[in-house]
Amino acid sequence: RIMPMLSHQTNFLLCICMAVVIFLIVLWQSRKIKVFQQTEQVKLQSFEYHKLYVGMETCYNEIIYSPPEDMNISYAEAEKRRETKDALSQAKRNASVQDYSARVYLMAFINKTLQTQLGINETTIDQVFPFQNRKKLDPYIKFLTLMYVVMQEHGTDTWIWLQEENHLSQLRENGRYEIYQSDIDMMFDKYVGKIPYTVKLDVLTQRLYEDKFGQGHVDLLSWQNIEDLAVGQGGIPTSATDVSASHKKQGGTSIAGHDKVVILFRGINIHLRFIGMGSPRELERVCRHICLYKNPGELSEDAGYIENSLANGDRVVVYRDSFGDSWGFLIRKNNEGRLMTLQELYPASMQKHADKLWALLEGLMIGCQSTIATGQMYSGKTSLLRAMINVSNPNYNYRGLESIFELNLRKHFPTRDVATFLEREDLPGDKVLEFLKRTNGTVLVLGEMLKEVSANWLISAGQSGFKFVLSTTHSITTEFLIKWLLNAKLNTSGSSNADLVILDIINAIHFDVHCGLDELSGERFVERVTEIVPTGDDRLYQIVDIMVYDRENKEYIIKHPLSKRTLESIRTYADEEKYVSIASMFGGTAAIMP
């Protein structure tokens, strides 16, 4: 009886021991799994975008702020580190003002840092953005991925190609020109297949670059061949709370001011509803830096705004909240990679008798007729001015005078004698013109006339030895052009005799070529070519439309012949064949008689 009892107790103790052992094993395994999971979680967190941004910034700061002499490295290594530091510092300054070489350098630095110091490879990059799961991919990352995939074939024309191929420049049902996230999703599914590692790396590099050095979420668009890029012009310029409340009140149709992005594409303003700067602070950051090319001064509360050029030739206007109702900027693109001819600007296949327009404008340039290109913004005045210079005498000496280097005449006419200078309000107009004459100028090309002093220079230039003068302005009619020039001359010259000033004007300016724009189709055309003819009587001058454009029939119509004064000037400078050709179209049979 005693033995069975002892056996039963022994078995019970063995069961308890086994249970304890199993429990300890399970506990140990669970802790091991938990530690493994925590380790994996830490690894995953180390590849979060924010952590990578901090890591990249740390690598950058170590190079910039760590003196090489404090490191235990050789002289050659220290010298190399100094060169890298100087190159990075300069690239950072220049990247913010659209210097392409600085952008390339910094992108290469980020790309290398990601792969050599931050552990990015073909596996870990999917932990930053879920490229392998398209449904979870952030909308903005979809946009960048789409762009980088298509950019491999279309480069800086990518956005133009996407808009044209997918008909995104058409009016929406709400009567507006807008592009939505659904359009990006559609194009992403259409053009993006399996995403290669190189594209993933480009997208991640782009995100880090634009947040640290570039122009925020609009950085990639700012390098595309669009016409204008406006940020912060529209939307609700108030606090996030007010925006949220208004958004709910209006059924989700409102937008914060810092997220209002509009591009100009072939004369049409298109609101990009899928993209924005993300926050007022980010918009302010970009505004403060993008206007600093060649140190124009600080964008202070007193200054309010800065108009400046960028390193790539674009023009930028930046304003802040002390002047506008919020921060904002506008980039006017200067992305004509090639010179547009008259035939390309006004194609005969789309505009009837465009060949007669080409002949007329060429005749004015051959005949050394001072001409102003007028019209609303974005109607193609600057492109027309270049095209007219292109058909003028290549042996003349061209002298440009601009408030901002925008025409880029030396780039477009590298074989001609061209020199361009900046306007200086602190220099009297007569001294500026005297200097330009000393540079043996034949033709004066004034940039856009926005200031009265520019108008005064134009009138004076027409009487100071230049064969002819070319310029642009925003006048609606020829009469308004003359009145604006009259007021500018009276206000800046001290003269009080309006009739004498008008005589100066009509002797200095012979033609007004008025550019037009169809805001629905984006079509550009020459609305009219108008001659200002001196009459020699009390009227002083007569305004004569030589050619007009019939918008309904898309046809150029000759209305009146050129004046005898103009025909004689053309005959002076043109060869006989060219003169006969022009005079037969615009002078009548009497004009071609010897």
Side-chain angles (χ1 to χ4, degrees):
R1 286 170 94 177
I2 295 173
M3 291 300 293
M5 186 178 296
L6 290 173
S7 177
H8 179 73
Q9 290 176 348
T10 301
N11 290 336
F12 178 73
L13 290 173
L14 286 173
C15 290
I16 292 175
C17 290
M18 289 179 64
V20 171
V21 170
I22 293 172
F23 174 76
L24 291 174
I25 292 173
V26 170
L27 181 63
W28 179 75
Q29 287 289 345
S30 64
R31 290 192 62 185
K32 184 178 178 180
I33 292 172
K34 186 175 182 181
V35 169
F36 174 77
Q37 289 176 338
Q38 290 175 344
T39 303
E40 289 299 306
Q41 185 66 27
V42 170
K43 288 182 179 179
L44 288 173
Q45 289 177 352
S46 67
F47 292 107
E48 290 179 352
Y49 174 76
H50 175 70
K51 294 286 182 65
L52 287 176
Y53 180 88
V54 172
M56 182 274 295
E57 192 172 41
T58 300
C59 293
Y60 173 83
N61 290 337
E62 284 178 355
I63 296 174
I64 296 297
Y65 300 113
S66 298
E69 53 271 16
D70 293 347
M71 300 179 181
N72 187 23
I73 56 179
S74 67
Y75 176 82
E77 291 175 333
E79 191 63 25
K80 184 177 180 180
R81 193 174 182 89
R82 288 191 194 94
E83 291 175 359
T84 303
K85 173 184 176 181
D86 293 342
L88 275 176
S89 297
Q90 184 174 357
K92 183 180 185 297
R93 289 193 298 270
N94 294 341
S96 63
V97 294
Q98 299 293 82
D99 185 313
Y100 183 73
S101 61
R103 170 186 170 83
V104 170
Y105 184 86
L106 289 170
M107 293 278 281
F109 165 77
I110 296 171
N111 191 301
K112 182 180 179 180
T113 302
L114 285 171
Q115 297 184 90
T116 61
Q117 299 187 52
L118 299 180
I120 292 298
N121 54 42
E122 294 190 28
T123 301
T124 58
I125 197 166
D126 288 333
Q127 296 175 20
V128 186
F129 302 128
F131 290 106
Q132 76 283 3
N133 191 334
R134 302 163 78 96
K135 292 183 179 180
K136 292 184 178 181
L137 201 58
D138 180 79
Y140 179 61
I141 300 302
K142 278 189 176 182
F143 166 69
L144 290 182
T145 306
L146 169 68
M147 290 294 289
Y148 270 99
V149 167
V150 183
M151 278 169 60
Q152 293 179 347
E153 182 177 352
H154 296 282
T156 54
D157 288 327
T158 291
W159 187 250
I160 293 175
W161 185 84
L162 286 172
Q163 284 196 172
E164 290 179 336
E165 285 292 308
N166 297 279
H167 310 290
L168 299 180
S169 304
Q170 299 177 355
L171 277 174
R172 299 293 181 147
E173 294 180 357
N174 60 5
R176 301 189 183 99
Y177 293 100
E178 295 180 330
I179 299 177
Y180 306 106
Q181 182 60 46
S182 58
D183 298 313
I184 302 299
D185 294 341
M186 175 271 295
M187 292 188 291
F188 183 85
D189 294 337
K190 186 176 181 180
Y191 300 113
V192 180
K194 183 178 180 181
I195 307 171
Y197 171 64
T198 54
V199 170
K200 296 177 183 179
L201 188 59
D202 285 339
V203 169
L204 178 55
T205 301
Q206 171 67 34
R207 281 291 288 116
L208 292 168
Y209 170 83
E210 65 191 26
D211 282 354
K212 176 65 178 177
F213 306 108
Q215 317 305 344
H217 281 9
V218 299
D219 183 89
L220 198 58
L221 278 172
S222 71
W223 291 100
Q224 290 290 301
N225 288 337
I226 53 181
E227 296 173 52
D228 274 10
L229 173 64
V231 182
Q233 297 183 184
I236 303 174
T238 51
S239 67
T241 303
D242 294 335
V243 171
S244 177
S246 177
H247 183 80
K248 293 178 181 178
K249 184 178 180 180
Q250 299 181 29
T253 60
S254 64
I255 186 171
H258 55 267
D259 285 332
K260 185 68 179 286
V261 178
V262 177
I263 63 170
L264 182 73
F265 178 74
R266 295 183 176 172
I268 299 173
N269 284 307
I270 303 175
H271 180 193
L272 306 185
R273 295 297 299 261
F274 63 88
I275 199 171
M277 297 302 286
S279 69
R281 179 175 294 181
E282 177 68 354
L283 175 58
E284 180 180 341
R285 177 189 72 83
V286 174
C287 287
R288 285 187 179 277
H289 291 92
I290 197 172
C291 59
L292 298 180
Y293 184 58
K294 291 188 175 179
N295 301 316
E298 184 184 357
L299 185 58
S300 63
E301 291 191 5
D302 292 336
Y305 74 95
I306 290 178
E307 181 182 11
N308 199 8
S309 56
L310 296 173
N312 63 351
D314 293 347
R315 185 173 70 182
V316 65
V317 178
V318 182
Y319 54 89
R320 57 167 298 158
D321 50 0
S322 63
F323 178 67
D325 52 8
S326 67
W327 291 79
F329 67 90
L330 169 70
I331 298 177
R332 181 77 183 272
K333 298 290 293 177
N334 183 37
N335 50 26
E336 289 94 351
R338 58 187 178 84
L339 181 67
M340 297 286 286
T341 64
L342 292 172
Q343 289 77 8
E344 290 171 313
L345 286 172
Y346 312 110
S349 59
M350 300 178 64
Q351 301 175 356
K352 297 178 185 177
H353 305 310
D355 57 325
K356 295 181 179 179
L357 173 68
W358 310 336
L360 175 57
L361 296 178
E362 184 179 2
L364 300 186
M365 295 300 97
I366 292 174
C368 299
Q369 298 298 295
S370 293
T371 303
I372 309 298
T374 61
Q376 68 184 80
M377 293 181 66
Y378 314 123
S379 58
K381 300 185 295 297
T382 302
S383 297
L384 172 61
L385 200 67
R386 293 194 192 102
M388 290 194 297
I389 294 172
N390 190 43
V391 296
S392 62
N393 192 326
N395 298 309
Y396 287 161
N397 302 334
Y398 295 83
R399 300 295 174 257
L401 189 60
E402 303 182 70
S403 58
I404 293 176
F405 291 128
E406 182 180 17
L407 288 169
N408 292 320
L409 297 181
R410 294 179 68 169
K411 171 187 172 183
H412 292 291
F413 305 101
T415 62
R416 300 194 188 189
D417 185 330
V418 177
T420 306
F421 306 93
L422 283 177
E423 293 179 4
R424 291 273 301 275
E425 291 190 14
D426 57 331
L427 291 177
D430 54 348
K431 288 189 176 182
V432 174
L433 292 174
E434 186 65 29
F435 166 76
L436 291 175
K437 284 189 291 183
R438 289 176 180 175
T439 63
N440 68 332
T442 310
V443 181
L444 176 63
V445 184
L446 282 174
E448 192 172 37
M449 286 192 300
L450 297 174
K451 306 172 185 176
E452 289 184 340
V453 65
S454 302
N456 193 10
W457 290 351
L458 181 142
I459 298 167
S460 301
Q463 305 167 338
S464 61
F466 290 97
K467 281 188 178 295
F468 62 103
V469 182
L470 300 173
S471 186
T472 68
T473 191
H474 295 296
S475 298
I476 300 174
T477 67
T478 305
E479 193 65 52
F480 282 152
L481 171 64
I482 294 173
K483 288 182 178 179
W484 183 73
L485 292 170
L486 172 62
N487 291 331
K489 182 72 173 178
L490 292 175
N491 291 338
T492 57
S493 68
S495 174
S496 59
N497 191 323
D499 286 350
L500 289 178
V501 173
I502 289 177
L503 289 175
D504 289 341
I505 292 172
I506 62 178
N507 285 322
I509 302 172
H510 306 144
F511 282 85
D512 170 14
V513 180
H514 192 75
C515 300
L517 169 68
D518 188 323
E519 295 185 354
L520 292 179
S521 67
E523 178 195 17
R524 291 185 171 96
F525 49 87
V526 171
E527 188 172 302
R528 55 180 171 78
V529 178
T530 303
E531 184 174 5
I532 304 170
V533 183
T535 59
D537 55 28
D538 292 342
R539 292 182 301 166
L540 300 181
Y541 65 92
Q542 183 180 5
I543 295 175
V544 181
D545 287 336
I546 307 302
M547 175 177 281
V548 298
Y549 184 65
D550 183 345
R551 296 181 63 173
E552 183 176 350
N553 297 313
K554 297 184 179 299
E555 177 182 11
Y556 288 103
I557 301 172
I558 299 174
K559 296 283 289 186
H560 298 95
L562 291 167
S563 70
K564 183 178 179 181
R565 177 183 75 163
T566 299
L567 288 169
E568 288 177 350
S569 182
I570 294 174
R571 188 166 198 168
T572 299
Y573 296 105
D575 58 46
E576 189 66 21
E577 182 181 355
K578 179 63 70 174
Y579 171 73
V580 170
S581 174
I582 294 172
S584 63
M585 279 189 281
F586 301 101
T589 56
I592 63 174
M593 297 296 290

